[in-house]
Amino acid sequence: MDITSKASRLSGHIQVPGSKSHTIRALLLASLADGESHIHNPLPSADCRSTAAALPLLGSSVDFGKEGEGCWTVEGAGRKFHLPDDIVNVGNSGSLLYFLSPLAATLEGWSVFTGDESIRRRPVGHVVDALRQLGAQAYTARPSSSTCPLIIQGPLKKPYRLTTEGSVSSQYISGLMMAALRLDDKMEIELTDPKETPYLTMTQKWLEKVGAKVSISDDYKHISVIGTGIFSGFDAVVPSDWEAVAFPLVAALLTDSEITIDNVDFSGIQGDDAIVGILRTMGADIEENREKKTLTVRGGIKARKGKGRLSTEGCPDGQLHVNLSGLPDAICALAVAAAFCEGDTYIEDIAVCRRKETDRIEVLKKELGKLGADIETGADYMIVHGHSPLMPDGKPNPQFTLHGGTVESYADHRVAMSLSCLGLALKGGEQVLVKGAECCSVSFPRFYPVMSAIGANFEES
């Protein structure tokens, strides 16, 4: 499916789906539990359904309930949790791959993990090394490759201690923390260069919910987990997804729009909520109502200052420096906002973005470059030399050169959504054609109809 995106004005209320990160954690922990668990407001995305499809291989089951009820029931395997009955195909879900493979390593016998073409390009060498330190056997099926298929023979052996870099991904660290639930002694993890740390806190909160004792040092370099043995089923409500909030948020800021995003999670557990502060530094008009759990976003002529002009002029030396190590998935939405922001935005500490569904650093440079954006990149940074469509006096800015064109999604959901949102902010009959836009279903099912309901000018072809 291709999507054409044209100039739009957005208005009204929008609610984003539940968090993918929370949903997958809830499903896996429910599969370990003894008895029924009820997961409310789950994200019915492709990645979450891949997780649900894997659970029966381990002795658990999932009932999705009636459409529209928004509650999944998981019958946990408990003591009957067993080796996967078949090869585990994680689809496009890196989370499922990195979470479930350490859990499988707690079982005696062999497990095999693979996935789609994108997954088969993502590294698993760090998982292999970590599991070997814990006494398991782990291999990649192709000796010359560090990618899936991944083959594991458990169980893990005492002492449950390992040292790992931590900067490649936080996901397998979370997987190891979950695996500790099934062990008969404390697991201790030393991280030499921890990144994506809010996700480790998220995992800690989930483990504590089911009774585990988790300790994480202030610098995130030492983690210890004491498991619970078998625990009972639970009820949980999945909060809305801040990674999904970023797209209507940025779309409204770049257009003459006023929208309210409902059911926003202000718990602080999701690190991606930091995008609000980053955009406010650019001058964004974003109003929080924590009591009502809403964000009201005003852009362009709807902004309270009347122009909605984004700029780095108030930053030291006129440059905005943003460290995204804690919220790397925000890179796509933030790069688009920075392209409409007057001044230079330095997006830093983002090496992990090269190991997502795509090399997002290079993909964004290439595809935004097709639309006139001026972007420099390095191993772990991106510099966006942006220009606002408006001068400080409100007149058109002659240095603003963004235009329409045809761009590729590379089957990356966040790339597709960010490029589609960019097209909404172009004027003068310009439009953006996003190829392969159906990949949005990975994290935001029905993204285009939901956005169109508040005025987004999207056309499917």
Side-chain angles (χ1 to χ4, degrees), residues 22-32 39 42-43 47-53 55 60 62 64 72-74 206 234:
H22 279 286
T23 300
I24 293 177
R25 284 167 172 80
L27 284 169
L28 289 174
L29 292 181
S31 75
L32 296 174
I39 303 172
L43 174 66
D47 280 7
C48 297
R49 289 190 177 273
S50 291
T51 302
L55 298 190
S60 183
V62 183
F64 297 111
W72 293 354
T73 300
V74 179
W206 274 103
F234 55 84

Side-chain angles (χ1 to χ4, degrees), residues 13-192:
H13 288 248
I14 184 172
Q15 182 167 322
V16 304
S19 163
K20 181 178 73 165
S21 299
H22 279 286
T23 300
I24 293 177
R25 284 167 172 80
L27 284 169
L28 289 174
L29 292 181
S31 75
L32 296 174
D34 184 21
E36 277 191 1
S37 296
H38 303 280
I39 303 172
H40 302 272
N41 193 40
L43 174 66
S45 72
D47 280 7
C48 297
R49 289 190 177 273
S50 291
T51 302
L55 298 190
L57 300 178
L58 304 159
S60 183
S61 64
V62 183
D63 181 352
F64 297 111
K66 295 180 180 179
E67 187 174 354
E69 284 185 342
C71 180
W72 293 354
T73 300
V74 179
E75 184 63 42
R79 291 175 177 82
K80 297 180 181 180
F81 186 81
H82 57 67
L83 276 175
D85 290 327
D86 199 350
I87 292 171
V88 180
N89 189 322
V90 302
N92 186 249
S93 179
S95 297
L96 177 57
L97 170 65
Y98 294 137
F99 291 172
L100 188 53
S101 50
L103 276 167
T106 66
L107 298 160
E108 186 173 357
W110 294 91
S111 303
V112 181
F113 291 81
T114 190
D116 67 7
E117 182 180 1
S118 172
I119 284 293
R120 296 194 305 275
R121 293 195 301 266
R122 297 179 74 169
V124 294
H126 52 298
V127 180
V128 168
D129 177 71
L131 294 180
R132 286 178 177 176
Q133 288 187 56
L134 292 169
Q137 298 298 309
Y139 309 91
T140 55
R142 296 167 290 173
S144 61
S145 171
S146 64
T147 61
C148 282
L150 172 65
I151 304 170
I152 297 167
Q153 183 185 31
L156 304 181
K157 299 173 184 177
K158 292 182 181 180
Y160 305 125
R161 299 192 189 99
L162 76 151
T163 299
T164 189
E165 184 179 356
S167 63
V168 177
S169 169
S170 68
Q171 291 173 326
Y172 76 107
I173 308 300
S174 287
L176 292 165
M177 293 169 68
M178 289 187 230
L181 291 173
R182 294 184 37 79
L183 302 179
D184 58 357
D185 202 352
K186 178 168 63 175
M187 178 181 285
E188 295 187 271
I189 306 170
E190 299 291 335
L191 301 182
T192 59

Side-chain angles (χ1 to χ4, degrees), residues 242 249 253 266 273-290 294-298 304-305 309-312 314-315 320 334 337 341:
W242 267 100
L249 174 60
L253 288 177
F266 289 114
D273 58 1
I275 195 170
V276 170
I278 295 168
L279 294 171
R280 281 175 170 164
T281 302
M282 294 178 173
D285 184 350
I286 305 171
E287 182 180 355
E288 298 180 8
N289 188 320
R290 291 176 176 264
T294 62
L295 282 180
T296 298
V297 189
R298 304 176 184 91
R304 283 175 287 189
K305 292 184 180 179
R309 182 176 182 269
L310 303 181
S311 171
T312 66
C315 300
L320 175 58
L334 183 58
C341 177

Side-chain angles (χ1 to χ4, degrees), residues 306-365:
K307 293 194 285 284
R309 182 176 182 269
L310 303 181
S311 171
T312 66
E313 292 159 359
C315 300
D317 300 320
Q319 300 174 346
L320 175 58
H321 289 259
V322 181
N323 186 307
L324 279 195
S325 65
L327 58 158
D329 285 335
I331 186 175
C332 298
L334 183 58
V336 167
F340 286 81
C341 177
E342 189 66 35
D344 295 338
T345 300
Y346 290 71
I347 304 175
E348 299 165 329
D349 208 351
I350 52 172
V352 69
C353 295
R354 294 191 180 277
R355 299 182 290 271
K356 296 291 186 178
E357 285 83 342
T358 57
D359 179 342
R360 286 178 175 161
I361 298 174
E362 288 308 309
V363 163
L364 288 168
K365 178 182 179 180

